[in-house]
Amino acid sequence: MFTFKIDHEIELKLLEQDDAPELFKVLDQSRRYLREWLPWVDGTQKPEDYQSVIEMWLKQFADSNGFQVGILYKGAIVGMIGFHAIDRSNSATSIGYWLAEAYQGKGIMTRACQALVDYAFHDLKLRRVEIRCGTENKKSRAIPERLGFTHEGTIRCGEFLYDHFIDVDVYGLLSTDQ
């Protein structure tokens, strides 16, 4: 299956059905932490819940419409990253990501995001990459800020999380910005 080595610690892997138990374990161990910012956490209650999702991700990859990959740190799945979709008519994509709580602060997500940005601009020849983060999610917002994205605005009440709305910051990077 497709893998992409970023450096001596990190590689990205297109997930297969056999990865569902490990992916679920990582999610489950950080459930309370991830739930604060991700609206789908409560809907994932057992490893089997990933089966249809992994199938959808594999189809997305096969259709060349973005991809969702596991982030492996020293060989273990610690989170996910990917292009939500590829808007070819506007030469743009957006990146989504999450990382287990125990692996925060190691530069893992910054390196993974940089690899996707490079891939978007150099391999896919896209013009724009966007990242959206909860306004109060300081760790997530630090990624695009560290990578030189421009804060383009805030969408008030931009996402519904379980029982409340949160504001969402929009960051953009153009191929000409680098």
Side-chain angles (χ1 to χ4, degrees), residues 22 26 70-73 76-80 98-101 103 108:
E22 184 179 1
V26 172
I71 300 171
L72 277 63
Y73 178 72
I77 296 173
V78 297
M80 291 199 61
W98 64 266
L99 188 65
E101 186 174 18
Y103 294 91
I108 296 168

Side-chain angles (χ1 to χ4, degrees), residues 148-164:
F149 280 65
T150 299
H151 180 257
E152 297 178 335
T154 301
I155 302 171
R156 297 177 301 149
C157 292
E159 186 172 27
F160 187 74
L161 292 178
Y162 305 104
D163 62 356
H164 66 285

Side-chain angles (χ1 to χ4, degrees), residues 16-77:
E16 302 173 277
Q17 293 297 340
D18 292 347
D19 295 311
E22 184 179 1
L23 184 60
F24 177 78
K25 182 179 176 186
V26 172
L27 166 68
D28 207 38
Q29 290 171 342
S30 292
R31 183 175 295 279
R32 192 181 91 255
Y33 173 77
L34 294 172
R35 187 182 190 277
E36 186 174 356
W37 303 112
L38 300 172
W40 49 263
V41 173
D42 284 1
T44 309
Q45 294 298 316
K46 57 191 181 301
E48 294 77 24
D49 291 337
Y50 271 117
Q51 290 178 342
S52 62
V53 178
I54 289 173
E55 186 176 313
M56 179 181 67
W57 293 335
L58 292 171
K59 181 176 179 351
Q60 179 191 23
F61 178 76
D63 291 345
S64 297
N65 190 27
F67 54 81
Q68 309 304 314
V69 292
I71 300 171
L72 277 63
Y73 178 72
K74 298 182 179 179
I77 296 173

Side-chain angles (χ1 to χ4, degrees), residues 58-126:
L58 292 171
K59 181 176 179 351
Q60 179 191 23
F61 178 76
D63 291 345
S64 297
N65 190 27
F67 54 81
Q68 309 304 314
V69 292
I71 300 171
L72 277 63
Y73 178 72
K74 298 182 179 179
I77 296 173
V78 297
M80 291 199 61
I81 191 168
F83 296 136
H84 292 118
I86 297 177
D87 180 350
R88 300 215 187 268
S89 63
N90 290 305
S91 191
T93 191
S94 61
I95 297 175
Y97 48 80
W98 64 266
L99 188 65
E101 186 174 18
Y103 294 91
Q104 301 282 320
K106 299 178 185 301
I108 296 168
M109 195 55 72
T110 300
R111 289 181 273 169
C113 275
Q114 183 64 63
L116 260 63
V117 167
D118 292 344
Y119 183 76
F121 291 150
H122 301 284
D123 294 275
L124 298 177
K125 306 293 186 211
L126 298 178

